[in-house]
Amino acid sequence: AAAPAAAPAAAPAPATKPVNPYLPSPAAGIAAIAAATSEPYTVRRPITQQEKKQMLQLALPMVTGLMRMNMADAMNYFALKYKAKAGLSFDDVVESMKLRANQLNLKLVGENMMWKDFRAVLGDHDGPRIEVFSFCDIAVGRDLLKISPEFVIFLPCRVAVLEDKNKEIWLMMLDWNPEWVEGYKDRLEISDELWRGAIDIRQRMDNMMQAAANGDL
């Protein structure tokens, strides 16, 4: 007698898509995508501390080297800095910075004399002079906030002028170079105009800091 026909092989189980651990559910993932394409000035949902913890722990293997550093060395990676030329006074550096900012159409919107508070509030008369200056390009700032109101936490752009332990003068700011994420420009929904504006303002901030460090003008 003929052998019974073999039973048809079971269909392979459909592949499951990897779950994004920092989104609580697929529905939330869809909502996040929808929010990313919403109207200007749309505020996204708050991210819980647990979600942030999970996201950062996923990223740890990529930043292992950074995590091995102490805090001072890690912060050094986030800073763009220039040392002022020998012979320039603190006030010379600040004056040059303000003049160059005016030339470059960067509006000075705030000054924080931290060292005076060290003395008045903390009674610390030994700390070095440290001042923080805030600048703004209102057009670029508006376009960034249209995409993400949360970007306001980085605005306005700040430059610190400070003395180190040797009384040498430094200029520092958060180093945010848009070209680092150039391959993700479309995914970040950054228009060509805004992309050029972000690069331009970073270049102007850099120009201003270098002019101050050199005592130009």
Side-chain angles (χ1 to χ4, degrees):
T16 57
K17 295 181 67 175
V19 176
N20 191 334
Y22 70 90
L23 294 174
S25 69
I30 295 172
I33 294 172
T37 57
S38 58
E39 294 297 317
Y41 302 112
T42 298
V43 176
R44 274 61 175 174
R45 69 177 180 86
I47 306 297
T48 68
Q49 290 300 310
Q50 181 62 24
E51 291 175 87
K52 291 180 182 180
K53 178 180 177 181
Q54 290 176 330
M55 183 63 175
L56 288 173
Q57 287 182 345
L58 280 177
L60 284 180
M62 295 180 287
V63 291
T64 301
L66 192 62
M67 292 300 106
R68 289 198 184 107
M69 299 178 184
N70 61 37
M71 186 179 71
D73 289 332
M75 288 300 100
N76 195 30
Y77 267 85
F78 293 100
L80 175 66
K81 65 179 74 171
Y82 296 103
K83 184 162 77 170
K85 284 171 51 176
L88 291 175
S89 71
F90 197 104
D91 291 332
D92 290 337
V93 171
V94 171
E95 182 180 6
S96 291
M97 180 178 65
K98 289 181 177 180
L99 289 170
R100 180 57 60 90
N102 188 56
Q103 276 192 344
L104 297 173
N105 198 30
L106 288 169
K107 183 178 180 181
L108 177 64
V109 295
E111 301 182 32
N112 181 357
M113 308 298 179
M114 295 182 67
W115 66 290
K116 291 186 177 181
D117 286 333
F118 292 167
R119 296 184 177 187
V121 179
L122 304 176
D124 180 0
H125 295 270
D126 299 321
R129 186 172 174 181
I130 301 174
E131 301 181 7
V132 181
F133 300 86
S134 299
F135 297 90
C136 180
D137 182 305
I138 196 64
V140 175
R142 179 201 59 186
D143 291 344
L144 286 169
L145 294 176
K146 280 184 178 180
I147 296 175
S148 170
E150 292 82 3
F151 201 89
V152 74
I153 63 175
F154 293 106
L155 299 178
C157 301
R158 289 176 294 277
V159 174
V161 182
L162 57 91
E163 295 174 332
D164 66 12
K165 65 183 182 66
N166 298 317
K167 298 298 182 182
E168 293 180 313
I169 302 168
W170 292 83
L171 295 105
M172 301 186 192
M173 79 171 191
L174 177 67
D175 198 359
W176 52 275
N177 190 340
E179 294 176 348
W180 294 342
V181 294
E182 188 168 8
Y184 298 88
K185 181 171 75 70
D186 293 336
R187 186 180 303 178
L188 295 171
E189 299 183 24
I190 300 176
S191 67
D192 291 340
E193 182 179 6
L194 178 56
W195 183 258
R196 289 191 295 269
I199 291 175
D200 176 65
I201 193 172
R202 199 264 186 188
Q203 290 174 340
R204 282 185 284 155
M205 294 287 292
D206 194 356
N207 183 312
M208 178 185 71
M209 290 174 62
Q210 292 192 55
N214 292 325
D216 294 343
L217 306 177

